Amino acid sequence: MADSARSRSAERLVDILMELQTYGVVSRYRLMKKFNITERTVYRDLNMLSAFVEGCGGGEYRLIPSRAQNNSHDALHNPLATLLDADAVFPDRDEDFWGSLEKRAAEQHVRVHFNSPEHSVRNALRKYFNLLEKAIQKNSVCHILYKSKTRTIHPYKLVNQKNIWYLQATEGGKLKSFSLNKIHWLDIRKEHFAVDSFTLSLIDEHRDPWVSEETFEVRVRINHSISSYFRRRDLLPQQELLCEGDDGVTLLCQAAHQNQIIPLILFWLPNIEILEPEWLKTTVINMLHNYVTGDHNSVPVLECDG
């Protein structure tokens, strides 16, 4: 099975860091040949390492002197691990872990698989990723064409969730998540916006593109036959255990929009029951009824972006 684009990129970045530690410099052209990638991809990889890598002429790059003097693994690998959220996969990364990393990657006794990336996301990343990152850094107002509508947004953060890239930004003061793959045009304006600290903290508190200060409570009953999946990890947004018994568990969660919670409920049917709110239960029942009776035009399309 082919590695995901994110996994291949992570392996390349680790390889570049190891080569820098060993030889002191890396060649842009050698990296293109070694990984069979384009020059643009090499530039993107090196840009992700820009905090501790600098160009030294002739297409070669070296560690920034202050970084080169620090030979600890933490100095090089932990920023990369933080960027890729490695704690979710390898929470304990001691010296032995870093020392065996290259051997482990070569032998492939351990494999980490992510969701498959969107088919055309590479083009979207090439067109917009660096531009949007700079707009976020400079608090620049942006105009985008999204779902056939020109929108004025204030960009806050780029987020990769389940290998789908989102831009989290406010539009008209409301926080939204825009799929990067659906942005068809971008114009970074000269105007700047004042960062709202509450909005920023709201984004940082949630590990989900669905972020809103306005949420509603959902209470569900999980059948004992699948309750172990919900005990093992949180499958619902801001999941909280209310009570459990031999027949299952009752959970409370917070949803920002019905389209956030309904797909999760549909996935676990018939072993999940909506207890509250009543309007959400009615919505799901009507949706299933329309589908079974063939009234597909009445079944809403569930999307998560703004």
Side-chain angles (χ1 to χ4, degrees):
M1 183 183 295
D3 289 339
S4 69
R6 180 179 175 185
S7 180
R8 290 195 300 272
S9 176
E11 289 178 5
R12 285 199 310 271
L13 293 176
V14 171
D15 201 299
I16 292 171
L17 289 171
M18 297 295 290
E19 192 159 324
L20 282 166
Q21 275 193 301
T22 304
Y23 302 108
V25 296
V26 293
S27 165
R28 185 168 71 245
Y29 309 106
R30 184 175 177 277
L31 293 175
M32 290 169 58
K33 184 177 180 179
K34 179 178 181 179
F35 297 114
N36 191 27
I37 56 178
T38 65
E39 188 172 20
R40 183 189 293 269
T41 301
V42 174
Y43 274 125
R44 188 170 67 242
D45 286 351
L46 292 169
N47 184 61
M48 292 183 70
L49 301 173
S50 61
F52 33 79
V53 173
E54 64 181 2
C56 53
E60 293 188 335
Y61 293 78
R62 66 186 178 191
L63 289 171
I64 295 173
S66 61
R67 299 288 184 177
Q69 294 168 9
N70 190 340
N71 293 320
S72 72
H73 288 94
D74 288 351
L76 290 177
H77 297 309
N78 278 349
L80 179 62
T82 300
L83 179 67
L84 299 178
D85 195 20
D87 281 349
V89 184
F90 296 108
D92 296 319
R93 299 185 303 277
D94 54 16
E95 287 296 318
D96 179 67
F97 174 87
W98 293 121
S100 61
L101 182 61
E102 188 174 12
K103 181 173 181 288
R104 182 176 286 128
E107 293 179 348
Q108 297 189 359
H109 298 309
V110 178
R111 300 291 296 275
V112 178
H113 294 293
F114 297 95
N115 290 28
S116 298
E118 297 173 284
H119 295 303
S120 58
V121 72
R122 187 166 297 185
N123 292 331
L125 289 172
R126 287 171 178 167
K127 289 171 64 177
Y128 302 127
F129 188 90
N130 289 339
L131 292 173
L132 285 170
E133 187 176 21
K134 290 178 181 177
I136 292 169
Q137 291 169 342
K138 296 180 179 180
N139 305 331
S140 299
V141 176
C142 295
H143 288 175
I144 61 172
L145 181 63
Y146 193 83
K147 293 185 178 179
S148 303
K149 178 182 177 182
T150 301
R151 303 165 183 256
T152 301
I153 62 168
H154 296 173
Y156 275 81
K157 188 161 291 194
L158 286 160
V159 176
N160 187 297
Q161 175 75 8
K162 297 181 180 178
N163 231 345
I164 297 178
W165 280 102
Y166 297 94
L167 170 66
Q168 293 185 311
T170 57
E171 181 186 19
K174 184 178 180 181
L175 183 59
K176 298 181 178 181
S177 293
F178 300 92
S179 172
L180 203 64
N181 216 16
K182 293 182 181 180
I183 296 176
H184 298 294
W185 173 78
L186 167 68
D187 179 31
I188 299 177
R189 313 295 293 177
K190 293 182 179 179
E191 308 99 287
H192 299 277
F193 65 92
V195 173
D196 180 67
S197 58
F198 177 77
T199 298
L200 194 58
S201 63
L202 196 64
I203 292 172
D204 290 338
E205 287 172 8
H206 293 77
R207 302 173 60 85
D208 194 307
W210 289 99
V211 181
S212 174
E213 57 184 294
E214 299 176 1
T215 61
F216 58 91
E217 289 187 348
V218 179
R219 194 182 303 258
V220 294
R221 184 69 178 169
I222 310 296
N223 188 280
H224 70 91
S225 61
I226 64 167
S227 61
S228 61
Y229 295 106
F230 291 81
R231 289 192 184 97
R232 186 170 63 187
R233 63 190 179 104
D234 291 349
L235 297 177
L236 301 177
Q238 299 183 60
Q239 177 179 309
E240 178 184 343
L241 176 65
L242 292 182
C243 61
E244 56 183 318
D246 294 336
D247 58 341
V249 299
T250 300
L251 301 175
L252 182 69
C253 68
Q254 301 286 333
H257 191 279
Q258 69 174 32
N259 289 2
Q260 178 186 18
I261 191 68
I262 288 178
L264 299 173
I265 292 170
L266 293 177
F267 180 84
W268 292 102
L269 287 176
N271 294 301
I272 186 171
E273 177 189 1
I274 302 173
L275 302 178
E276 294 177 357
E278 188 64 33
W279 65 263
L280 182 64
K281 184 174 184 177
T282 302
T283 299
V284 173
I285 291 174
N286 290 339
M287 182 185 299
L288 293 172
H289 177 267
N290 292 336
Y291 177 79
V292 171
T293 58
D295 187 9
H296 294 171
N297 291 330
S298 298
V299 179
V301 177
L302 303 177
E303 295 185 283
C304 77
D305 34 32

